[in-house]
Amino acid sequence: MDHQQGCSHCNNPSFEEGYANRLCPECRKDLSRHPIAGWVKGLAAGVAVLFLISLFNFPAIFNATLAYRKGKRLMDERKYMSAEKIFSDILKAYPSNFKMNAHYVIAAFHNRHYAIVDSVMKKWAGKSPEDREMVAKVNAVIEQSRFLEPEDPSVSTKLDSTTNRKEYIKVLEQYHALHQHDVAGMLALGEQYYIDSSFKQAIDILEVARKAAPEALFGHRWLALSYAGNKQFDKGLEICEELLSDNVESIDGLTAKAGILLKKKDDKKALALAQQMYDLAPSNPYAICTLALAAHFNGNTAKRDELCRQLHAMNDSVSVAFIKGVEQDKIHFRD
Amino acid sequence: MFIPGQAIGIVTFPGVVVHELAHQLFCRWCGVAVYKVKYFQTSNPLGYVIHEPPKKPIHQLLIGTGPFLINTLLAFIIAFPAALPVAQFSAGTFFDYVLLYFAISIGMHAFPSTQDASSMWSTIWHGENTPLWMKILLVPITGFILLGTLGSYFWLDLVYGVFIAIGLPLLIANAF
């Protein structure tokens, strides 16, 4: 038999009804506020600090993750210009992260931004990253740089001592005669033939290089433009597509394609393409010059002049002179 | 290799403490008298809270499932900014691994114990004032807890902790 009539804790007769345990409101309140041990408070405070730090970092990390995933997707889609911008931004938060630097280097190489490639490669000097898969991907891309420098470096000294283009071409021709399998030599010679408006010779040598090293796309811009110069527009566009299939956002490929479309008088299409290229690389002189040209042939003189001012501000007098020449009909850009 | 639960409990003790503290705080918020709290011990059970049976069934439900909600939420938020750099772009710092340790420890002790399930069942299922919807809700909750207890023999609690700390952030990131 229960002899207690009140609160089981303090014998207060006014205990609360409806509970299994007989307690007055004050005792129930006191007991519900059972003290928390000091060390538990300390641990809870530590967990709360971690919670707040994580909550604070949550948006930045989440955005960085989304950007990283977007960058990887752009790499898969071969949109290297956009991918390079994304990785450049994420690297501000993770400057020494190998994976991101590796993606950045690959994108920059495809965009011909060799200064960026060199700066990242310098950071890796003497290190051996564990991510073998990414290392292999970087090596596969960087390995192509052998097509950029002639095998025999002494040719550079000879080229430096030339005084005009004809001499320059002659040195390269002699080099090619002695190093017939050197693709870098062929590409350099092809470029010079194009600049010299020797389109037929440019096509011949660049086609030889294309067959010898199909993976080397460094001469494709000159080859496409040489075909255009030779009035073989469709062949030129085919070469542009080859370049763009490697890098959808290749400035070389887009410039050449827009230029050929302008020569074909497909002005609207050329303007759209030039605008797309300008949006990708608004400070690239080729992109600005091509858009100015496209604006000119589409009758938008205000835009052409504005772009000319932009080129002028960048001290690109050659491009400005070219556009002025086309505008004043001193340069015969197309039939 | 057999690893006793106590050894895991010692390694992941922050999760046990958070679990018991959540029980205690829900008792406080519901005005339920608490007689004794053991935040952590090396014997079985690793921790417990002795409290009076609540008057309202909803209070029993909150006290019983509170740690599951609190531990899960804490584990997820604490781990999120660490899990993504570690799992996504191999950029984990020492602090990221500290966060993951705490998050997994807390997450793996989210599951209520069979004692929690038993208390909820006796108060809610057999309670005279329990509304029908709560009894219906109780069945899957109890089943879930028993499944968790059974699964803990196969490290389900650890799997759950890792899922909340690493798997869920990745799933969310993948959804965007």
Side-chain angles (χ1 to χ4, degrees):
Chain A
M1 187 181 165
D2 188 359
H3 295 288
Q4 260 190 310
Q5 295 301 312
C7 168
S8 61
H9 213 242
C10 69
N11 286 328
N12 183 339
S14 59
F15 63 86
E16 287 185 292
E17 296 285 352
Y19 283 91
N21 291 12
R22 200 165 48 218
L23 289 168
C24 66
E26 290 76 22
C27 286
R28 175 160 285 109
K29 196 174 175 184
D30 279 351
L31 287 169
S32 73
R33 293 184 176 184
H34 189 89
I36 298 169
W39 69 270
V40 174
K41 281 182 186 169
L43 184 74
V47 170
V49 168
L50 294 183
F51 179 82
L52 290 174
I53 290 171
S54 291
L55 205 61
F56 179 76
N57 290 330
F58 198 108
I61 301 280
F62 190 54
N63 288 336
T65 303
L66 294 187
Y68 175 74
R69 295 177 65 79
K70 189 179 174 188
K72 274 180 71 179
R73 197 174 62 241
L74 290 167
M75 294 290 281
D76 292 341
E77 290 169 2
R78 296 183 164 272
K79 292 180 177 171
Y80 294 114
M81 192 63 82
S82 304
E84 186 188 320
K85 278 181 199 160
I86 293 236
F87 285 113
S88 168
D89 287 343
I90 315 174
L91 277 166
K92 286 170 190 157
Y94 299 94
S96 55
N97 183 264
F98 175 72
K99 215 171 227 178
M100 288 181 198
N101 274 298
H103 285 302
Y104 187 47
V105 160
I106 294 169
F109 191 87
H110 279 280
N111 293 324
R112 314 280 159 89
H113 294 157
Y114 303 122
I116 290 175
V117 176
D118 286 346
S119 72
V120 176
M121 297 299 276
K122 268 180 200 161
K123 282 200 287 187
W124 288 339
K127 292 178 184 169
S128 45
E130 289 172 11
D131 192 339
R132 307 317 301 168
E133 193 189 335
M134 275 323 289
V135 170
K137 279 185 184 175
V138 171
N139 284 342
V141 172
I142 300 300
E143 206 246 344
Q144 285 186 27
S145 57
R146 72 183 191 277
F147 299 122
L148 289 168
E149 294 291 334
E151 284 167 10
D152 181 357
S154 67
V155 71
S156 302
T157 320
K158 288 178 191 165
L159 288 169
D160 287 344
S161 64
T162 58
T163 52
N164 59 56
R165 189 169 310 285
K166 293 290 174 202
E167 266 183 48
Y168 198 94
I169 289 174
K170 196 161 182 130
V171 171
L172 284 172
E173 281 173 340
Q174 285 166 350
Y175 179 82
H176 176 58
L178 289 170
H179 304 83
Q180 295 211 349
H181 300 290
D182 188 353
V183 174
M186 293 183 219
L187 296 176
L189 184 54
E191 180 182 344
Q192 292 306 316
Y193 279 146
Y194 167 77
I195 295 168
D196 195 44
S197 300
S198 305
F199 302 128
K200 181 73 181 67
Q201 284 166 293
I203 291 168
D204 288 345
I205 192 79
L206 290 171
E207 279 293 6
V208 173
R210 187 173 163 224
K211 282 183 185 68
E215 71 274 30
L217 305 173
F218 307 105
H220 274 46
R221 177 168 192 254
W222 310 116
L223 181 58
L225 291 172
S226 297
Y227 273 120
N230 214 28
K231 309 226 184 296
Q232 292 173 269
F233 300 127
D234 290 341
K235 191 70 189 159
L237 288 174
E238 190 186 301
I239 300 297
C240 290
E241 290 308 331
E242 210 171 291
L243 200 50
L244 292 170
S245 69
D246 174 68
N247 179 2
V248 178
E249 298 175 337
S250 159
I251 296 297
D252 282 359
L254 291 169
T255 318
K257 189 175 176 182
I260 293 171
L261 287 171
L262 284 173
K263 281 181 185 286
K264 282 184 81 181
K265 300 189 179 173
D266 200 344
D267 296 338
K268 290 219 176 326
K269 217 169 167 182
L271 181 65
L273 200 64
Q275 185 64 55
Q276 179 199 337
M277 181 173 40
Y278 179 78
D279 293 341
L280 280 169
S283 55
N284 184 303
Y286 285 134
I288 302 168
C289 183
T290 307
L291 182 59
L293 210 55
H296 170 77
F297 285 114
N298 278 275
N300 191 344
T301 52
K303 187 166 187 167
R304 176 199 65 199
D305 294 343
E306 186 199 318
L307 290 160
C308 270
R309 279 194 292 276
Q310 203 177 325
L311 284 168
H312 188 72
M314 293 165 74
N315 294 323
D316 188 351
S317 54
V318 175
S319 296
V320 173
F322 175 71
I323 293 162
K324 291 288 171 202
V326 173
E327 181 192 335
Q328 293 158 7
D329 225 11
K330 288 178 186 166
I331 294 174
H332 195 58
F333 182 74
R334 65 186 190 186
D335 294 333
Chain B
M1 185 178 68
F2 175 72
I3 302 170
Q6 272 83 353
I8 297 295
I10 290 166
V11 173
T12 60
F13 81 96
V16 181
V17 177
V18 171
H19 181 108
E20 301 311 332
L21 187 60
H23 272 312
Q24 186 187 354
L25 290 176
F26 271 94
C27 285
R28 183 175 289 193
W29 295 329
C30 295
V32 171
V34 174
Y35 297 109
K36 190 177 181 188
V37 182
K38 193 60 143 175
Y39 296 102
F40 181 72
Q41 61 183 9
T42 50
S43 55
N44 196 25
L46 294 166
Y48 58 84
V49 174
I50 298 173
H51 60 82
E52 67 169 336
K55 182 180 176 183
K56 295 179 183 172
I58 187 75
H59 288 169
Q60 182 61 67
L61 190 69
L62 288 172
I63 294 164
T65 57
F68 180 75
L69 302 172
I70 296 288
N71 282 46
T72 300
L73 185 71
L74 280 176
F76 172 71
I77 299 283
I78 288 173
F80 197 96
L84 293 177
V86 168
Q88 196 86 67
F89 30 82
S90 319
T93 61
F94 175 74
F95 186 64
D96 287 330
Y97 288 101
V98 170
L99 288 177
L100 283 181
Y101 159 71
F102 273 94
I104 292 171
S105 298
I106 292 169
M108 76 174 285
H109 290 287
F111 273 94
S113 63
T114 45
Q115 185 55 48
D116 295 330
S118 166
S119 302
M120 277 196 289
W121 189 262
S122 60
T123 309
I124 298 170
W125 189 260
H126 299 296
E128 290 171 11
N129 303 321
T130 308
L132 182 64
W133 66 266
M134 202 180 291
K135 286 188 177 181
I136 293 170
L137 185 66
L138 182 69
V139 175
I141 290 173
T142 311
F144 182 63
I145 294 169
L146 293 175
L147 192 72
T149 307
L150 192 69
S152 66
Y153 292 108
F154 311 102
W155 302 100
L156 188 67
D157 42 4
L158 179 63
V159 170
Y160 182 77
V162 172
F163 171 74
I164 292 297
I166 298 171
L168 195 56
L170 285 177
L171 271 179
I172 290 172
N174 285 347
F176 285 88

